[in-house]
Amino acid sequence: MRHNFGAGPCILPQEVFKQASSAVLDFKDGLSILEISHRSPEFEEVIAETVKLVKELLNVPQGYSVLLLQGGASLQFAMVPMNLLPQGQTAAYLETGVWANKAIKEVKNFGSANVVASAKEANFTFIPKDYEIPADSAYFHFTSNNTIYGTEMFTLPVTKVPVVCDMSSDIMSREIEVSNYDLIYAGAQKNIGPAGLTLVIVKDEILGKTGRSIPSMLDYKVHIDGGSMYNTPPVFSIYVAMLNLRWLKSKGGVAEIEKENKAKAHALYTEIDRNTLFKGTCAVEDRSRMNVCFVMENPELEKPFAKFADDNGFEGLNGHRSVGGFRASIYNALPITSVHALIDLMQTFEEKYK
Ligand SMILES: *Cc1c(COP(=O)(O)O)cnc(C)c1O
């Protein structure tokens, strides 16, 4: 039995893998999902159900469009300022890690980024809290969960400017109030489905105000008008995302998975704090419920623990190459039994080495 704690692409429910593989062989009347036209009525149903599930699961209000795009969250780093930032104006950014940095880097192509607060000095181990967002900012951008450092932002700052959020690694993991945001984006490969798909939820009224000419493929309005089918969409990724969102709905939706996610994170952090060999790396109040980062009190034990984990069927526990240590990604699809197995592993290791 393998336990997959990988950070992304990552575990999806076993039943989703089974349903997806059977659709590769026979989706409809002996045709594979990989060979059908994206304009076929069958696929139009898939895309419509996927959008409907996103709206249902996140309670998306009227006035927002749900888009299924490509290019990953990384393309959104550029599409956001291209579509929302008038030339020469400034957008406010919160610098909480590598992904926020990459988003900030793209802004200069269109205007300027004002970094309102940064956790860089502390190697991104906390979420900055007291900062001002200037009222003339075109928008405020932040990353809700810092996949690499294991911090998560549970409260939104109060601001009147439009709010844009990179929610790639915690979307669908806890309830959010979509009306507090003007644009949400997420690469699919953590909690939504396979790589190759990017979800965007955008408030329609914020678009079309930059005065800039935007290439069609990079223009949210073009994708809204085209129903996310301006060009050939990633058919298989969308299909698997639909299966995964159906699975989430059948489990009771986001509110239910949030309870499970809290239980998983609580169990693991409790063990990290109790176990004499391990310690967490982030400020306790900012600890992520999706990516649990930890190191060893004695760094010399890191290699032996990594080997012990590997020998026992644990996958993907290495920290990001820029941080080191360990990272257990405990996304929606990771069963609590895998968390308990990891806790057992840490306790067994403690018995051997303390
Ligand atoms: C994984 C991740 C990204 C990068 O997504 P791509 O789809 O690879 O572009 C960006 N932001 C966050 C928060 C992530 O977790």
Side-chain angles (χ1 to χ4, degrees), residues 125-127 129 151-154 282-288:
T125 50
F126 75 105
I127 302 280
K129 305 224 169 41
T151 59
E152 190 168 1
M153 197 162 144
F154 297 104
C282 297
V284 171
E285 71 274 16
D286 300 326
R287 283 173 163 180
S288 166

Side-chain angles (χ1 to χ4, degrees), residues 317-339:
L317 277 176
N318 284 344
H320 188 270
R321 58 191 186 281
S322 64
V323 180
F326 298 96
R327 170 176 54 174
S329 296
I330 53 176
Y331 298 120
N332 285 357
L334 184 98
I336 196 160
T337 47
S338 286
V339 172

Side-chain angles (χ1 to χ4, degrees), residues 92-331:
Y93 277 71
L94 187 62
E95 188 185 29
T96 53
V98 164
W99 297 121
N101 269 145
K102 287 191 166 176
I104 290 164
K105 189 174 150 229
E106 296 301 319
V107 180
K108 66 175 181 311
N109 294 303
F110 311 99
S112 52
N114 167 22
V115 177
V116 291
S118 173
K120 197 172 185 173
E121 297 283 280
N123 200 27
F124 300 120
T125 50
F126 75 105
I127 302 280
K129 305 224 169 41
D130 294 315
Y131 49 88
E132 292 280 323
I133 299 168
D136 61 352
S137 310
Y139 58 85
F140 169 65
H141 176 286
F142 73 103
T143 317
S144 52
N145 181 67
N146 299 290
T147 326
I148 292 174
Y149 304 91
T151 59
E152 190 168 1
M153 197 162 144
F154 297 104
T155 41
L156 276 177
V158 180
T159 176
K160 289 209 168 70
V161 311
V163 172
V164 176
C165 182
D166 175 0
M167 233 178 250
S168 294
S169 53
D170 65 350
I171 194 160
M172 305 277 174
S173 72
R174 58 184 165 103
E175 291 193 289
I176 53 161
E177 191 65 61
V178 174
S179 62
N180 288 335
Y181 301 82
D182 296 80
L183 192 149
I184 293 168
Y185 63 89
Q189 67 273 21
K190 281 102 186 195
N191 268 335
I192 299 172
L197 170 67
T198 313
L199 176 69
V200 172
I201 302 171
V202 59
K203 193 176 196 174
D204 300 323
E205 68 179 41
I206 65 165
L207 298 175
K209 295 182 177 167
T210 63
R212 174 182 294 120
S213 160
I214 301 174
S216 305
M217 274 297 283
L218 303 175
D219 188 343
Y220 293 123
K221 280 195 148 178
V222 168
H223 292 290
I224 293 172
D225 293 343
S228 295
M229 287 228 252
Y230 174 74
N231 74 324
T232 314
V235 170
F236 189 61
S237 296
I238 293 173
Y239 179 69
V240 180
M242 181 196 76
L243 296 175
N244 188 48
L245 297 175
R246 272 188 192 163
W247 168 85
L248 179 56
K249 187 180 168 186
S250 75
K251 287 200 54 118
V254 176
E256 281 306 309
I257 209 83
E258 177 171 358
K259 284 185 203 154
E260 258 183 57
N261 288 332
K262 278 183 178 164
K264 288 188 296 189
H266 179 74
L268 190 49
Y269 283 119
T270 302
E271 175 60 18
I272 289 167
D273 292 341
R274 185 212 59 79
N275 195 306
T276 53
L277 301 185
F278 298 90
K279 62 177 176 189
T281 50
C282 297
V284 171
E285 71 274 16
D286 300 326
R287 283 173 163 180
S288 166
R289 288 187 205 133
M290 293 284 103
N291 309 97
V292 177
C293 292
F294 54 98
V295 293
M296 305 205 69
E297 296 280 0
N298 174 2
E300 285 181 4
L301 285 180
E302 289 194 353
K303 271 208 176 120
F305 181 69
K307 181 172 187 316
F308 188 59
D310 193 46
D311 290 346
N312 283 281
F314 289 77
E315 196 68 46
L317 277 176
N318 284 344
H320 188 270
R321 58 191 186 281
S322 64
V323 180
F326 298 96
R327 170 176 54 174
S329 296
I330 53 176
Y331 298 120

